[in-house]
Amino acid sequence: SRPAGWEKKPIVCIVIGMAGSGKTTLMQRFNAYLHAAHSPPYVINLDPAVTYMPYGPNIDIRDTVDYKEVMKQYKLGPNGGILTSLNLFATRFDQVMQFVENRAEQVKYVLVDTPG
């Protein structure tokens, strides 16, 4: 039996690493594996500069923040554009957490892909 107040919570896997180190490839493989195991994860993409995603994330920073527009508007280079995009997205992170919490009972895993 479970202790009182115990709630089912998914395991969260946050993948970090240098640019080009294979984070997105790992996420794609992990996502495919979990789908094959009949346990599709909830996937979050936090890389605003990624041009190709080999899987469909449930939440994608690119749907909220236009990385190239951020670079133009704030006169930033690529790294500054990524950091500023993440800061802008962070102002809505409570909404992201609410989406994840709403799915917590249905998913075993939450996968988070990050920029390099």
Side-chain angles (χ1 to χ4, degrees):
S1 84
R2 296 185 175 131
W6 185 88
E7 295 177 27
K8 181 181 175 188
K9 295 183 180 177
I11 294 169
V12 179
C13 176
I14 302 173
V15 181
I16 60 172
M18 300 296 291
S21 63
K23 296 178 299 299
T24 300
T25 301
L26 174 64
M27 294 293 287
Q28 185 273 327
R29 301 268 169 88
F30 198 18
N31 185 37
Y33 172 81
L34 291 171
H35 272 86
H38 306 292
S39 184
Y42 197 78
V43 182
I44 302 171
N45 172 46
L46 295 180
D47 188 349
V50 69
T51 55
Y52 170 71
M53 294 287 295
Y55 55 87
N58 299 92
I59 297 176
D60 193 336
I61 189 173
R62 299 173 303 166
D63 293 337
T64 306
V65 180
D66 184 340
Y67 162 74
K68 291 191 180 204
E69 186 58 36
V70 167
M71 284 177 50
K72 236 187 279 181
Q73 183 177 348
Y74 294 98
K75 297 178 177 48
L76 299 168
N79 291 336
I82 289 171
L83 287 174
T84 302
S85 294
L86 286 166
N87 284 333
L88 292 169
F89 190 69
T91 65
R92 296 182 173 192
F93 211 74
D94 59 322
Q95 294 173 8
V96 172
M97 292 304 298
Q98 189 62 49
F99 284 125
V100 173
E101 288 171 6
N102 289 344
R103 294 292 311 275
E105 292 291 324
Q106 292 89 32
V107 298
K108 290 183 183 176
Y109 301 96
V110 176
L111 306 180
V112 183
D113 197 358
T114 62

